[in-house]
């Protein structure tokens, strides 16, 4: 009986060793950088780094654009307020009943030019 138990445990140990060997080979292929998942993970990691840098640049650009847009909006609001004040001041001017007369000025010719004619 003891011999049978030793034989079964030896066969179980050999089977476990074979299973570990198969798993080790699969893991080695899985982690190869050129053809396996290790390569895919390395490529994806590099792409994540690139995208992170691109996102940081885009955020910096957006922040700068937001600052410029805010400044331009404030300038436009100030200009609109000034225009509203000017329009209000124009409404306060008295209206003239008689039409404006145009003043036409004539040029005086020099005497030397009149002699030439």
């Amino acid at each position: 009986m003891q011999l049978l138990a030793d034989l079964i445990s030896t066969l179980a140990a050999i089977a476990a060793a074979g299973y570990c060997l198969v798993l080790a080979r699969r893991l080695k292929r899985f982690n190869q950088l050129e053809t396996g998942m290790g390569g895919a993970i390395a490529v994806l990691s590099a792409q994540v780094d690139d995208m992170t840098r691109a996102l940081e640049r885009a955020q910096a650009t957006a922040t700068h654009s937001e600052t410029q847009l805010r400044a331009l909006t404030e300038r436009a609001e100030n200009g609109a307020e000034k225009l509203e004040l000017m329009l209000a001041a124009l409404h306060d001017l008295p209206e003239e009943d008689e039409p404006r007369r145009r003043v036409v000025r004539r040029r005086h010719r020099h005497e030397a030019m009149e002699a030439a004619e």
Side-chain angles (χ1 to χ4, degrees):
M1 187 70 135
Q2 183 69 27
L3 183 64
L4 186 60
D6 287 343
L7 185 62
I8 290 175
S9 50
T10 305
L11 288 176
I14 292 173
Y19 184 68
C20 286
L21 184 64
V22 169
L23 285 179
R25 287 181 182 168
R26 286 185 181 178
L27 186 61
K28 189 182 286 186
R29 272 189 274 136
F30 183 77
N31 285 333
Q32 284 180 349
L33 288 178
E34 293 157 0
T35 59
M37 282 299 266
I41 291 171
V43 168
L44 288 175
S45 177
Q47 287 177 347
V48 166
D49 290 342
D50 291 342
M51 292 302 285
T52 303
R53 279 187 242 116
L55 179 63
E56 288 171 355
R57 284 192 305 264
Q59 285 175 338
T61 302
T63 302
H64 181 68
S65 296
E66 184 262 339
T67 304
Q68 285 182 334
L69 186 60
R70 189 178 303 268
L72 288 174
T73 303
E74 288 176 9
R75 271 184 63 195
E77 287 175 355
N78 291 338
E81 287 176 8
K82 288 179 183 178
L83 284 174
E84 287 174 359
L85 287 173
M86 287 180 190
L87 283 173
L90 283 176
H91 288 295
D92 292 342
L93 291 176
E95 294 184 21
E96 295 180 10
D97 290 337
E98 56 185 70
R100 291 182 138 187
R101 295 184 185 184
R102 291 183 131 190
V103 177
V104 179
R105 295 184 182 168
R106 295 186 182 170
R107 288 186 172 174
H108 296 287
R109 294 184 178 175
H110 296 295
E111 292 178 19
M113 292 195 66
E114 287 179 9
E117 293 178 358

